[in-house]
Structure formats: structure tokens, C-alpha cells
Amino acid sequence: MVKAATAQFVAAPAGVLCAELGETPRLDERTGELIWTDITAGMVHFGDVNGDGIELVRSLNVGAMSGPVTPLPEAGAGWIMAKEGGIAHLAQDGTVAILAAPEAGHPTAFNDGVADPAGNLWAGSMGRNGILGAGRLWCFDTNGSATVALEGIGISNGLDFTADGRTAYYVDTTTGTLERLDIGPAGTITGRHCIVTFLPGEGDPDGLVLDDEGCIWVAMWDGWAVRRYSPGGELLAVVSVPVARPTAVCFAGGLLVITTCSGWLPEDWKQNQPDAGRLFTARVGASGPPARSYRGPLAIALPSEGENG
């Protein structure tokens, strides 16, 4: 059998706003708005999807190190977010209330996360100042309990779940791999399987999303691309991005949305990447669902030190 050729696509700029570290795009099903963050600027942005473009509607300043934003189920209820200081509630007016500080006392910061089909929130951290192995992947379940699902992580990054919630795909960027995780009861991972090992020069795996066919789209930091893989790890498509550092991806229906980074680029790179930090979009012949909601209480019980934390 002859292997099918890898599909090729090209992403185009979709908005004028330039982020230092654009990240974690989400489509909020309640409003139809796209949400994305600028982590180091401490900003959460909201935009309308018009055709292949994104029009900025408003921005909220939530303080330094703004991590992933996950909708709450009810209209007007705001969002839950993982940020510097802990897990927080973000209200419509931009008020931020810390709900729990699971990483207190650890040299870490939250980086990426997502809700699973059951409504549990999973959020991972990374070590500060280049400290490797300090990161952890947490699960905040629908009963309000917190569990450490993985430890010893370098940079906890892309994560998404299959529709039945029994499988997840995960990236610890420092390993240069894409993993398939077997998911047990809330907060438990019963198996880990490497399905892709990225080669030198391909870039570092960053944020990811699953499409409606169960395939995985991975943003490649320093790789100038987003890549699509089958559940078994076969490369199916490459989306070329005209900036070096795509960071994360989501679907707005049939539109692939890509966040990028403008910070920390070498000077000679900056001159050749005037669109770094902008949103990009591409029509890739695939679609994906909107963001899932966190369906747990805003009162979160942390494990005692030594028990799980």
C-alpha cells in the first residue's frame, strides 16, 4: 500500500493584536467568542470570529502569568483559570479571586490546561527559571477535590481528551514527545504511551487540540508549523505558519486558530517576523468542538502536603 501524501496548508494572520506570549485559545460556546491569553502580559482577550478573521472585542488585565481560561457552564458565570498564585475565578468584569493555591511553596507556575468531558479541570505547571522536573499535572474534579496526576514534569503543555474521556494526548515539552494517556477515575492516569518523538530541527511540541475525527493538532515552537497526527502517531498534515513560534491551537468550528509568540526572539529573527505574536487561522478540512466547561464547585479542597502534594 502506498502511503498517502502529507497534506499541506498555510496559515494567514487573522488579527492585528500582537501578544508577547499568546497562548491557550478557546471557543466559548456560551457566547461564540474566541478567548486567548497573553501569559507574560497578564491579559485575557476576547474576539469575534468573522470568516477567517478574529476581531478583538475586549481585553481583561488579570495580572502577571495568566494561564488557561476555562468556561463555567452558566451564562454570565465567568471562567476558571490557572494563573500565577493558583486556581482562580475570573468574573465578567475582570475581577480575579484565587480559589486555591496548589503550587504554593513550589518554584513553579501554571502553564496549560483544559476541562475533560466529565467537567473535571486538568492544569499543569512548569518550573521557574529553567528548573526541570518541578512541574506537576493536577486534576480538579467535579466534587471539588484536587489530585496530582503526574509529577516530575519539565514544561506541562498541550493536553486534550477524546470524547469518551478515556484517553488524553499530552505534551511535556522538555521530553520532545507526544504521549497518549490512559485515563481512569478522575485524577488518575493508568498508562502512558509515547506515540511521536520529534526530531531535532522539527521544533518543540507545545499546545495541542483534538479534532472531531480524534486526530491531534500540535503547535511546534521554533518549528514554524502546526502538525496533525493520527491517534497512532502518523503525520497527516502540516500547516505552515510564517512565524517561528506557534504556541497553541483550537478550532472555531471549521477554522483552525493558532496563537504565537513575539517575545524572546533573536534580533535578526524579529526583523523577518513582523507578524510574530498575532493570531493566525487556516482552513484545514477538519473541525473541532468548542471548549468544555469546568463543572465543579468554586470551593477546592487541596490534599495535605505529603498526601498528594
Side-chain angles (χ1 to χ4, degrees):
M1 178 180 293
V2 177
K3 181 181 177 181
T6 301
Q8 301 288 330
F9 304 94
V10 178
V16 297
L17 186 70
C18 182
E20 182 174 62
L21 182 52
E23 265 283 7
T24 58
R26 304 280 189 268
L27 185 68
D28 191 332
E29 187 175 30
R30 302 170 303 175
T31 62
E33 288 183 320
L34 184 80
I35 307 172
W36 71 103
T37 62
D38 187 342
I39 290 182
T40 49
M43 302 295 294
V44 178
H45 303 297
F46 301 81
D48 285 336
V49 181
N50 290 316
D52 292 350
I54 313 294
E55 294 183 7
L56 181 67
V57 174
R58 67 190 187 282
S59 300
L60 298 176
N61 188 332
V62 298
M65 298 302 290
S66 57
V69 176
T70 301
L72 292 168
E74 301 82 9
W79 305 266
I80 192 167
M81 66 183 302
K83 69 181 300 292
E84 186 174 44
I87 303 300
H89 175 251
L90 173 62
Q92 296 277 353
D93 63 0
T95 302
V96 177
I98 299 295
L99 306 176
E103 296 284 292
H106 293 263
T108 54
F110 278 107
N111 185 57
D112 206 344
V114 69
D116 67 20
N120 308 299
L121 176 69
W122 298 68
S125 63
M126 58 181 286
R128 294 180 182 272
N129 302 317
I131 299 174
L132 295 180
R136 299 186 287 185
L137 179 63
W138 287 83
C139 177
F140 305 93
D141 68 28
T142 56
N143 295 317
S145 298
T147 304
V148 177
L150 291 176
E151 296 187 89
I153 297 167
I155 301 176
S156 189
N157 233 314
L159 175 69
D160 202 4
F161 292 79
T162 55
D164 62 8
R166 297 172 60 184
T167 303
Y169 293 89
Y170 178 64
V171 161
D172 174 351
T173 297
T174 58
T175 67
T177 60
L178 171 62
E179 291 184 89
R180 185 182 74 247
L181 307 180
D182 302 325
I183 305 299
T188 62
I189 294 171
T190 59
R192 300 177 67 175
H193 317 273
C194 175
I195 64 167
V196 179
T197 298
F198 297 96
L199 302 175
E202 291 183 332
D204 299 318
D206 203 323
L208 64 80
V209 69
L210 269 61
D211 63 27
D212 288 327
E213 297 178 6
C215 295
I216 311 106
W217 297 79
V218 185
M220 300 301 297
W221 173 278
D222 280 348
W224 302 78
V226 173
R227 293 177 161 219
R228 185 194 195 203
Y229 290 92
S230 73
E234 178 187 357
L235 180 63
L236 301 177
V238 175
V239 183
S240 297
V241 184
V243 297
R245 292 178 172 170
T247 56
V249 285
C250 78
F251 279 97
L255 187 68
L256 184 70
V257 180
I258 306 163
T259 50
T260 66
C261 174
S262 66
W264 313 292
L265 292 175
E267 285 301 320
D268 56 335
W269 285 25
K270 289 181 181 180
Q271 298 176 11
N272 298 321
Q273 298 181 51
D275 291 326
R278 293 175 66 180
L279 292 173
F280 289 79
T281 61
R283 297 285 175 180
V284 294
S287 62
R292 300 184 180 99
S293 297
Y294 168 64
R295 298 183 177 275
L298 297 186
I300 296 174
L302 298 178
S304 59
E305 192 69 30
E307 174 191 353
N308 204 325

